[in-house]
Amino acid sequence: MDLAVLGVWIAAFCTLAVYSFLYGDNPVFKFAEHAFVGLAAAHVAVMGIENMRNRAWEPFVAGQWWLLGALIGGVMLLTRWFPSVRWISRIPLGFMMGVAAGMAARRAIESEFWKQIISTAGMKLDTLDNVLYLVIVLCTLSYFLFAFNDRTRFGGAIKSVGVVGQYVMMIAFGASLGATIMARLSLVIARLDFLFRNWLHLLD
Amino acid sequence: MDDFLTRMQNIDRRIIYTVVFIVLAVPMFKPMGLPLKITRETKASYDAIEALPEGALVMFATANAPGTQAELEPQSIAVVKHLMRKNAKIVFNPVAAESPRYCDRYREMMAAAGFEEGVDFIQLPYQAGGETLYVAMGTDLKSAYVMIQPGQYELWDSIDGMQDFDLFVDCGGGETQRWAIGHIEAKYHIPHITLITAVILAVVQPYFTSRQFSGIVSGLNGAAEYEVLAGFPGLAASGMDAQSLGHLWVIFTIVLGNVAYFITKAGKAAKARGGGD
Amino acid sequence: MFCFLVAFAAVFWVFVRRTAQGLPSPIRRIGGLDALDEAVGRCTEMGRPVHYTFGIGEMDGNVLASFDVLSYVSGQCARMDTDIIVTNALGEVQMMTEEIVRAAYVNAGKADSYQPDNVRFISNVQTAYMSAILGIFQRERPGANLMLGPFFAESMMLSEAGQQIGAIQIGGTGRTIQIPFFVAACDYTLIGDELFVAGAYIGRKPLQMGAIYAQDFGKWLSLVLMAVGSVLATMGINSVVTLLKK
Amino acid sequence: MKFVRSSLPIYLGVVGGAVVLLAYFLTPKLLQDLSKWFGEWRMTLAAFALTLGAGNLLRIHANRIRLKRESFAFSYVLIFFLIGYIVLGTFWGRTHPLYSYIFDNAYQPLSATVFSINAFYISTACYRAFRARNLQAAVLLIAGVVVMLGKVGIGYAIWPGFATVTDWIMNVPNSAAMRGINMAAALGALGVSLRVILGLERGHLGGE
């Protein structure tokens, strides 16, 4: 049996092993699951090691001194393995959290908040659809107002607008689900195609 | 009867799964040839590539992974083939840990068609970092890829930064589209088209309406449409029938569940009013 | 936009100061967060663990917000002597959650019951993560499944798998596209911003309450800008958009 | 020492976050350079963290074997593939034929199949969720079924309007509601991030 054929058989075994879980947990699935988690972790670690080498160490040796910061931080992270000095790893962690927050803030404000205001505020209310669009955006956003007391008349009004928003969101969620089901089916189609065509040769 | 109706409300999931298998498998052997409607998003993507000048410089960033390959791979192959027809110079950029293997295949495809590695196409190394990487590319492409030595690739040496590109293709089923428009499109305004899984179309579509994306190819449908437009009969079109049939089965179970639910509820209400058995 | 950011930060600061001095703080109720205690309580009764996950997304605002909830939930678990299993997909989030869960146990006076092996790194490969969770659900049978963070396609699978083992489920994410899946399969769903205010809602610390007020300020501002802007745009005056684009 | 232990991580976070955020608006060269470096550092640190994660996995499964937990035999399988594949990838490289062979014939089919389980799960989830138990669920159901019918040929055969209504639902209510949710969530994310950037967040890293 040549290697390519063996490969197809291995792949078919893997496919069926995973699908067997749909019936119930079983040793074959357990084997596939553990093998897969191991392989995936290894693949990521291999990528990580490669990145440390070509992203930090090699350019640093080639004269990009500022990468020293990353190397020191990386070594500090490694202190996690030693309980007595594990607190050191919090230092680079704090830095990572800060940079992550900075990035998140950047994207949140520009493309997800500001541009959306501009796009909505520039909309001409000359069709019924546009009026509706604006009203829906306003209602949905009102649902997310938190700091008010719903026992006052004003608060009660906000709450009722928010309830309208809630119903519109249900329309949106229902529509998204409906639109998604068909797409998800294509994932199985690709696997069946593999089983019937490449493995069993039932299709040409 | 009541027993039957209750059971229709709680069909064993294994039965549902088995039927899903069957209805997806049958059309593979007996295609029905249902018609295909081409959406404006796919058409716009096709037009964007068709409008490129000969030898245009394109970045093909991909986050393709085994989980998304069923949808993204047929799309990617169709788009790369189309780019090859335009003699585009392509920089493949795997942006997820599992993506380099896919880029390898596109490169093999190009090399087999007589394109020269290093001159007509290159593949950048994968780097961890996600959004950070997109920020870095937008800030300074060359220093984001410090590990590529000058002189290593002729094509890479001729590029100064993102502003040199004529088109940015972003392929992925996750967050990369937003990073691409947030950090690259926002800054350089080069045309962007995106290849996505159908699931995320709803969130990506507003960016098409706002012209931040010039085109969207979404899901297996998008791939099939693209194949038809570009004239490469391929993988995607053959799966469309199975998809429709599976879809009908799901609709059927939903209707069944609701009908049973309402009959039972009506029955209960009648009993509560004191009706006989 | 920069002006907005500065204004937002300033409002934020002012509200933090003012709530620190004690401002009455009415907040509307959020069902999904009220259910957290119910979830932990149910696990305690049944003698099953609580499962907590962030999904596989990058460390972003969702994760930062979810840290607050994890801190609270693991404190509750420590007090009630219920195990909490945290599964992670990112190296840095793994390290952060180790710190948080450990601290929660220490603060609850139960430092000895903290089990490091229950805070688990699985994989940042989505599908490997999913398959491991399917296994954990079948074998360790958590009684509650809390999914708060930046979720991708794993949302559907995790919530349906949790449903199959009869766990009480709370899902929440700011990644809009995944919310419908949580709505379909979870008992409670935190929609978008509801996750981000979770910390304030549970903790009611002045700092976090200040954040809620500042966010509400931002929302009011955008409501007004959009309404006024489009009315003016209809009349042919584009001054709001021009102003915003500066 | 107390400063280094409990406050330094927070201040480093403040500096990191503030530099990255401000560099988006302000142009001084130093700020831009710093922001670029910080981004590069974080990418490298993320690589370190990932590798550490693999170590955590190894430790947990080694413990399972040591304590003879339920079905610990499978932990041997995991450790075998983990170590074997790392050794192969690190010393012979990812381009080694055996590495690619395993990737193509085991890793990739496993991954694709696990993902495709979503198709089955979504069908049962919708079967349960799309039931008109109350008014909200009814709204969810109606929108869902109309869109589902709008996506397939038979829907068109029943009533040609399904496709039009689907387009309308996707473009008006769906798109508008998603925009509202997104905007609120963006503000939420901004609020959470600012707490870190302004150094107000002390809970997570400040403990002993």
Side-chain angles (χ1 to χ4, degrees):
Chain A
M1 193 191 260
D2 76 29
L3 275 177
V5 176
L6 180 67
V8 170
W9 278 82
I10 295 174
F13 167 77
C14 293
T15 306
L16 296 175
V18 172
Y19 279 148
S20 73
F21 182 80
L22 288 173
Y23 188 77
D25 196 17
N26 63 73
V28 180
F29 173 76
K30 279 186 196 168
F31 176 84
E33 173 212 324
H34 283 85
F36 182 33
V37 173
L39 285 176
H43 181 64
V44 168
V46 168
M47 290 287 192
I49 293 167
E50 202 175 287
N51 266 196
M52 288 180 213
R53 198 167 57 209
N54 66 9
R55 171 89 239 165
W57 180 247
E58 284 169 6
F60 172 68
V61 176
Q64 297 184 357
W65 54 269
W66 63 84
L67 290 171
L68 186 63
L71 289 169
I72 294 176
V75 173
M76 285 166 123
L77 281 180
L78 295 178
T79 60
R80 283 204 89 69
W81 295 118
F82 311 101
S84 56
V85 287
R86 62 179 299 147
W87 59 269
I88 294 178
S89 65
R90 283 186 203 149
I91 296 171
L93 270 182
F95 172 77
M96 290 169 86
M97 197 161 141
V99 175
M103 303 258 175
R106 239 163 112 147
R107 186 160 53 86
I109 187 174
E110 155 96 56
S111 67
E112 274 153 38
F113 183 67
W114 207 247
K115 281 214 169 145
Q116 306 295 332
I117 296 187
I118 293 179
S119 161
T120 318
M123 200 168 60
K124 285 201 174 67
L125 302 174
D126 48 6
T127 62
L128 187 61
D129 277 359
N130 282 359
V131 177
L132 209 55
Y133 197 102
L134 178 71
V135 171
I136 292 174
V137 173
L138 298 184
C139 289
T140 319
L141 200 52
S142 308
Y143 173 80
F144 294 103
L145 289 168
F146 294 105
F148 62 84
N149 185 344
D150 60 8
R151 265 173 240 125
T152 62
R153 187 178 293 173
F154 179 63
I158 301 176
K159 198 177 170 187
S160 2
V161 175
V163 170
V164 176
Q166 210 175 352
Y167 277 95
V168 186
M169 283 196 279
M170 285 301 147
I171 298 183
F173 296 152
S176 300
L177 274 173
T180 308
I181 298 169
M182 193 151 113
R184 288 295 191 221
L185 294 174
S186 62
L187 306 168
V188 185
I189 295 172
R191 294 321 297 158
L192 290 177
D193 189 71
F194 163 77
L195 289 176
F196 294 143
R197 196 185 301 274
N198 304 17
W199 184 46
L200 299 174
H201 302 289
L202 294 176
L203 298 169
D204 33 62
Chain B
M1 184 63 188
D2 274 6
D3 185 41
F4 173 75
L5 290 173
T6 320
R7 235 183 302 150
M8 284 305 102
Q9 288 179 62
N10 303 294
I11 305 177
D12 187 336
R13 60 193 161 84
R14 285 167 201 161
I15 297 175
I16 298 186
Y17 296 159
T18 314
V19 181
V20 169
F21 263 119
I22 295 170
V23 296
L24 291 181
V26 169
M28 295 188 149
F29 296 96
K30 277 202 158 308
M32 297 175 292
L34 299 173
L36 194 67
K37 181 176 152 248
I38 290 172
T39 59
R40 62 193 161 125
E41 286 86 355
T42 314
K43 182 74 169 65
S45 318
Y46 174 80
D47 292 343
I49 292 183
E50 202 53 35
L52 288 177
E54 278 284 304
L57 184 62
V58 177
M59 178 169 284
F60 191 100
T62 180
N64 200 355
T68 51
Q69 68 179 16
E71 294 172 82
L72 298 182
E73 189 68 352
Q75 298 172 355
S76 302
I77 289 175
V79 168
V80 171
K81 274 189 188 163
H82 191 194
L83 287 169
M84 279 158 63
R85 200 160 69 190
K86 302 292 290 182
N87 286 323
K89 299 198 181 306
I90 311 182
V91 176
F92 291 106
N93 187 359
V95 292
E98 293 161 299
S99 312
R101 253 329 261 160
Y102 296 90
C103 292
D104 290 347
R105 285 182 209 147
Y106 310 145
R107 282 190 301 136
E108 282 161 22
M109 210 164 81
M110 287 190 80
F115 291 89
E116 192 184 338
E117 173 134 29
V119 181
D120 297 314
F121 63 92
I122 56 170
Q123 177 178 335
L124 300 176
Y126 162 73
Q127 299 192 63
E131 183 166 14
T132 325
L133 176 65
Y134 276 75
V135 176
M137 288 199 294
T139 317
D140 182 354
L141 180 66
K142 282 306 191 62
S143 76
Y145 288 91
V146 277
M147 62 286 258
I148 303 179
Q149 308 301 325
Q152 194 176 345
Y153 301 117
E154 192 181 305
L155 179 58
W156 187 247
D157 292 339
S158 69
I159 301 170
D160 288 324
M162 285 313 303
Q163 68 277 6
D164 293 346
F165 286 85
D166 298 301
L167 180 73
F168 190 100
V169 181
D170 193 85
C171 172
E175 204 81 313
T176 54
Q177 311 58 36
R178 298 214 230 178
W179 302 338
I181 52 173
H183 303 300
I184 296 172
E185 198 278 337
K187 201 161 168 188
Y188 298 101
H189 307 294
I190 46 178
H192 273 54
I193 62 173
T194 187
L195 316 181
I196 56 171
T197 52
V199 176
I200 61 169
L201 179 63
V203 273
V204 178
Q205 199 159 29
Y207 301 112
F208 176 73
T209 323
S210 61
R211 313 295 310 148
Q212 283 161 288
F213 277 121
S214 315
I216 303 175
V217 183
S218 121
L220 195 63
N221 308 39
E225 292 162 23
Y226 206 98
E227 285 172 358
V228 170
L229 280 171
F232 314 120
L235 303 157
S238 63
M240 295 305 294
D241 286 347
Q243 217 181 20
S244 302
L245 214 60
H247 202 202
L248 285 179
W249 161 242
V250 179
I251 297 179
F252 177 74
T253 61
I254 292 171
V255 172
L256 200 66
N258 273 290
V259 170
Y261 174 74
F262 275 106
I263 296 177
T264 335
K265 209 168 103 171
K268 271 185 196 148
K271 272 184 195 156
R273 279 197 303 271
D277 276 345
Chain C
M1 193 164 64
F2 187 57
C3 297
F4 170 77
L5 181 67
V6 173
F8 188 82
V11 172
F12 193 92
W13 189 257
V14 169
F15 275 121
V16 169
R17 277 296 144 93
R18 282 190 57 191
T19 37
Q21 288 156 14
L23 198 77
S25 50
I27 299 191
R28 76 163 173 82
R29 302 211 68 76
I30 300 175
L33 293 171
D34 291 336
L36 286 172
D37 287 339
E38 182 196 338
V40 176
R42 192 158 163 261
C43 285
T44 312
E45 276 169 28
M46 301 170 75
R48 290 200 197 167
V50 173
H51 175 253
Y52 196 104
T53 167
F54 296 85
I56 63 146
E58 295 282 311
M59 182 149 103
D60 62 1
N62 290 281
V63 175
L64 299 177
S66 186
F67 282 158
D68 290 330
V69 184
L70 174 65
S71 174
Y72 173 77
V73 172
S74 44
Q76 290 296 87
C77 286
R79 271 182 284 278
M80 314 272 271
D81 290 316
T82 298
D83 281 346
I84 178 165
I85 301 173
V86 187
T87 53
N88 282 315
L90 280 190
E92 59 259 45
V93 177
Q94 164 71 19
M95 294 181 208
M96 293 292 302
T97 48
E98 283 172 11
E99 299 281 337
I100 291 167
V101 177
R102 183 194 308 265
Y105 271 80
V106 171
N107 290 338
K110 296 275 179 75
D112 297 338
S113 2
Y114 170 65
Q115 295 179 18
D117 278 3
N118 275 348
V119 182
R120 303 175 194 167
F121 176 83
I122 307 281
S123 178
N124 73 333
V125 175
Q126 184 182 41
T127 44
Y129 183 77
M130 287 172 173
S131 69
I133 303 292
L134 290 180
I136 288 176
F137 278 10
Q138 285 299 321
R139 284 153 227 156
E140 305 187 35
R141 302 222 155 233
N145 179 24
L146 312 180
M147 302 169 283
L148 305 164
F151 278 81
F152 284 74
E154 68 275 14
S155 62
M156 179 78 264
M157 195 166 216
L158 298 191
S159 45
E160 183 64 14
Q163 210 279 334
Q164 287 175 7
I165 54 164
I168 179 169
Q169 305 201 86
I170 305 176
T173 181
R175 293 198 71 250
T176 326
I177 196 68
Q178 300 298 337
I179 299 172
F181 304 120
F182 282 146
V183 171
C186 289
D187 301 290
Y188 300 93
T189 310
L190 297 176
I191 301 170
D193 202 20
E194 290 180 332
L195 169 62
F196 294 104
V197 298
Y201 189 83
I202 302 167
R204 310 256 166 168
K205 285 186 207 137
L207 152 66
Q208 296 162 326
M209 293 303 295
I212 290 198
Y213 286 115
Q215 279 158 234
D216 266 25
F217 156 78
K219 285 167 207 158
W220 280 114
L221 185 73
S222 54
L223 284 172
V224 172
L225 282 174
M226 287 189 293
V228 174
S230 51
V231 169
L232 288 178
T234 318
M235 298 191 290
I237 308 165
N238 280 320
S239 47
V240 172
V241 174
T242 329
L243 180 77
L244 293 176
K245 276 191 179 157
K246 272 188 185 150
Chain D
M1 205 56 192
K2 184 150 189 317
F3 170 80
V4 177
R5 269 184 184 229
S6 55
S7 298
L8 187 62
I10 291 160
Y11 290 131
L12 274 178
V14 171
V15 173
V19 164
V20 171
L21 181 57
L22 289 176
Y24 197 55
F25 301 101
L26 310 173
T27 49
K29 175 138 187 347
L30 179 66
L31 193 63
Q32 293 296 329
D33 277 350
L34 272 179
S35 162
K36 198 177 89 187
W37 294 349
F38 284 0
E40 290 175 11
W41 292 3
R42 173 149 188 259
M43 283 200 266
T44 311
L45 289 174
F48 272 93
L50 273 181
T51 315
L52 278 171
N56 179 282
L57 194 65
L58 194 62
R59 196 198 70 206
I60 286 173
H61 282 273
N63 281 345
R64 291 188 80 90
I65 293 174
R66 198 164 49 81
L67 300 170
K68 301 224 182 310
R69 288 276 172 81
E70 191 198 337
S71 60
F72 67 94
F74 292 101
S75 295
Y76 283 113
V77 175
L78 189 146
I79 291 176
F80 170 77
F81 281 103
L82 176 64
I83 294 181
Y85 211 42
I86 288 187
V87 169
L88 183 63
T90 313
F91 295 102
W92 284 273
R94 275 189 303 114
T95 47
H96 189 276
L98 183 58
Y99 195 94
S100 305
Y101 187 82
I102 294 174
F103 192 91
D104 289 350
N105 296 310
Y107 186 105
Q108 200 168 298
L110 278 169
S111 187
T113 314
V114 170
F115 199 81
S116 75
I117 285 188
N118 260 322
F120 298 99
Y121 278 16
I122 198 175
S123 58
T124 41
C126 286
Y127 167 67
R128 266 185 295 101
F130 282 148
R131 195 156 304 167
R133 286 195 186 83
N134 53 46
L135 197 55
Q136 283 198 12
V139 172
L140 191 84
L141 164 75
I142 294 168
V145 170
V146 167
V147 170
M148 287 177 80
L149 285 172
K151 292 251 165 193
V152 283
I154 196 157
Y156 190 82
I158 299 171
W159 178 49
F162 275 127
T164 326
V165 178
T166 298
D167 272 355
W168 181 82
I169 291 182
M170 294 310 280
N171 291 332
V172 182
N174 179 57
S175 167
M178 291 293 182
R179 179 175 284 183
I181 301 171
N182 266 338
M183 288 174 67
L187 278 176
L190 186 63
V192 175
S193 307
L194 276 184
R195 256 156 58 190
V196 174
I197 297 170
L198 295 175
L200 299 168
E201 187 58 75
R202 287 166 180 274
H204 308 319
L205 285 165
E208 279 307 301

